[in-house]
Amino acid sequence: SIQLIIRERDRVYKVLSSIESIKAYPSDANFIFFKAQDADNLFSKLVEKDILIRNFNRPGRLQNCMRVTIGTPEENDLFLSALTEILAP
């Protein structure tokens, strides 16, 4: 189970890192912390697609920061699919 989370975390991190408008930070935990251009808007659009992640957007160091917990491969696929769809030009 731990190996699955590690593989999935690496996979999600790689995809997040490849998205130009996102700055993903490496993690040794079961989540990935990242910065988006408009976290509040992104958060609400993800919620509309039944994807719930943590929105830490506050003035200062956490401005536009978000956190996604690593789930099952299927849950991660749903998150990544929704995210890329929302951020598509």
Side-chain angles (χ1 to χ4, degrees), residues 1 27 74 76 80:
S1 149
S27 175
E74 296 79 16
N76 298 329
L80 293 171

Side-chain angles (χ1 to χ4, degrees), residues 24-77:
Y25 297 93
S27 175
D28 289 327
N30 67 337
F31 61 85
I32 297 174
F33 197 74
F34 65 96
K35 189 174 259 192
Q37 288 184 351
D38 185 355
D40 290 337
N41 184 47
L42 178 57
F43 179 78
S44 63
K45 288 183 178 181
L46 285 168
V47 169
E48 288 173 11
K49 295 180 176 293
D50 294 325
I51 306 291
L52 188 59
I53 65 172
R54 294 289 308 265
N55 184 3
F56 287 100
N57 189 21
R58 289 168 188 62
R61 289 184 175 192
L62 292 177
Q63 187 165 0
N64 287 318
C65 289
M66 307 179 88
R67 184 184 89 180
V68 60
T69 301
I70 302 304
T72 65
E74 296 79 16
E75 291 168 335
N76 298 329
D77 287 342

Side-chain angles (χ1 to χ4, degrees), residues 1-16:
S1 149
I2 292 171
Q3 291 304 315
L4 177 62
I5 291 171
I6 291 170
R7 279 194 310 274
E8 283 299 300
R9 182 190 64 213
D10 293 345
R11 181 175 74 91
V12 172
Y13 174 76
K14 182 183 271 188
V15 173
L16 288 174

